[in-house]
């Protein structure tokens, strides 16, 4: 995953990461279960964080939480993907794909294999 993100970054491909999701991912780096795929995330130059800038955006995250079983970080990423027509890049697509039949959650989910998981 790191290589993919670095390739996107090097080519100037903008990446938007919700700060809450970034914090959750980066927190994992300080545990024994840390995935090598997240190393170097903070080095990317073309990453923009898109936090909650309004009550309307906070309401969108709350709506996702109420409609799904996603936690705050994943709901924040989902709400951002829904409003920006973006993709969710993840190591675990199952948590989003379980809602694939919901027409109000038209997500594009891309699962990236962690090379350390083979």
């Amino acid at each position: 995953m790191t290589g993919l993100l670095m390739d996107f970054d090097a080519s100037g491909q903008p990446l938007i990461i919700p700060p809450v999701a970034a914090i959750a991912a980066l927190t994992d780096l300080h545990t024994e279960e840390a995935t090598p795929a997240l190393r170097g995330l903070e080095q990317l130059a073309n990453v923009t964080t898109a936090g909650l800038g309004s009550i309307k955006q906070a309401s969108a995250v709350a709506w996702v939480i109420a409609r799904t079983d996603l936690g705050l970080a994943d709901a924040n990423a989902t709400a951002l993907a829904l409003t920006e027509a973006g993709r969710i890049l993840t190591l675990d697509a199952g948590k989003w794909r379980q809602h694939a039949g919901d027409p109000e959650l038209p997500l594009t989910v891309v699962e990236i294999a962690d090379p350390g998981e083979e």
Side-chain angles (χ1 to χ4, degrees):
M1 183 166 123
T2 303
L4 176 66
L5 293 177
M6 292 179 96
D7 287 347
F8 280 156
D9 192 57
S11 70
Q13 173 71 41
L15 298 168
I16 301 171
I17 300 177
V20 176
I23 291 167
L26 293 169
T27 299
D28 287 346
L29 290 177
H30 303 285
T31 68
E32 290 182 17
E33 294 85 33
T35 176
L38 295 174
R39 301 208 187 283
L41 185 61
E42 68 278 1
Q43 305 294 322
L44 301 175
N46 289 303
V47 170
T48 302
T49 56
L52 301 176
S54 68
I55 292 297
K56 184 176 180 178
Q57 291 170 343
S59 178
V61 175
W63 177 84
V64 171
I65 290 171
R67 190 166 187 91
T68 69
D69 59 349
L70 297 174
L72 178 59
D74 294 333
N76 187 199
T78 300
L80 180 62
L82 290 171
T83 59
E84 299 299 324
R87 291 177 174 84
I88 294 177
L89 301 177
T90 180
L91 296 171
D92 178 13
K95 68 176 106 181
W96 284 281
R97 288 200 177 125
Q98 67 180 327
H99 304 290
D102 187 336
E104 293 187 15
L105 291 171
L107 298 173
T108 301
V109 177
V110 179
E111 186 167 38
I112 301 167
D114 182 349
E117 295 284 319
E118 305 219 51

